[in-house]
């Protein structure tokens, strides 16, 4: 199964978050999810907010276009990204031309 799906101009990504990392990065593919490391701690939703902000920057879209649709309290999340203008190189192979 692919870690992401594109439908109707929206991208839905399965993400595994690693909080309190030494750097912010899309680390790679881990099974059927994208491993994302962030420096924010998993306290009071800070890591969730930071993941959305980080992914907004990576996909070149507004923070308001990135939302967690499943997994608010888990390290395994499903995230929806709308109106993106960039796809990070590590994820391009998973996006088909039929978007």
């Amino acid at each position: 199964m692919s870690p992401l799906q594109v439908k109707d101009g929206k991208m839905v990504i399965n993400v595994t978050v690693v909080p309190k990392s030494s750097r912010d990065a899309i680390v790679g593919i881990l099974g059927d999810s994208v491993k994302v490391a962030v420096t924010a701690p998993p306290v009071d939703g800070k890591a969730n907010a930071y993941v959305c902000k980080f992914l907004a920057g990576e996909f070149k879209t507004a923070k308001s276009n990135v939302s967690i649709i499943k997994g608010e309290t888990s390290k395994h999340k499903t995230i929806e990204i709308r109106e993106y203008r960039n796809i990070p190189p590590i994820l391009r192979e998973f996006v088909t031309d039929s978007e």
Side-chain angles (χ1 to χ4, degrees):
M1 184 174 180
S2 176
L4 61 89
Q5 292 95 33
V6 177
K7 187 174 180 181
D8 301 327
K10 299 176 191 173
M11 185 175 294
V12 178
I13 305 175
N14 295 320
V15 174
T16 299
V17 178
V18 181
K20 286 184 72 175
S21 295
S22 60
R23 63 189 169 96
D24 299 324
I26 296 175
V27 179
I29 306 303
L30 183 65
D32 64 347
S33 71
V34 177
K35 187 174 179 181
V36 176
V38 293
T39 55
V43 178
D44 299 328
K46 289 182 182 179
N48 284 343
Y50 197 85
V51 165
C52 290
K53 177 182 173 184
F54 172 70
L55 290 176
E58 291 291 301
F59 284 87
K60 298 195 185 325
T61 189
K63 285 189 298 186
S64 61
N65 289 330
V66 180
S67 57
I68 298 172
I69 56 176
K70 184 177 172 186
E72 279 281 334
T73 60
S74 171
K75 68 178 182 176
H76 303 287
K77 302 179 184 309
T78 303
I79 297 178
E80 181 181 81
I81 302 173
R82 298 172 304 282
E83 299 179 27
Y84 55 90
R85 295 187 311 268
N86 180 55
I87 298 171
I90 196 165
L91 301 178
R92 287 187 184 143
E93 69 180 271
F94 298 100
V95 179
T96 61
D97 293 333
S98 61
E99 353 175 358

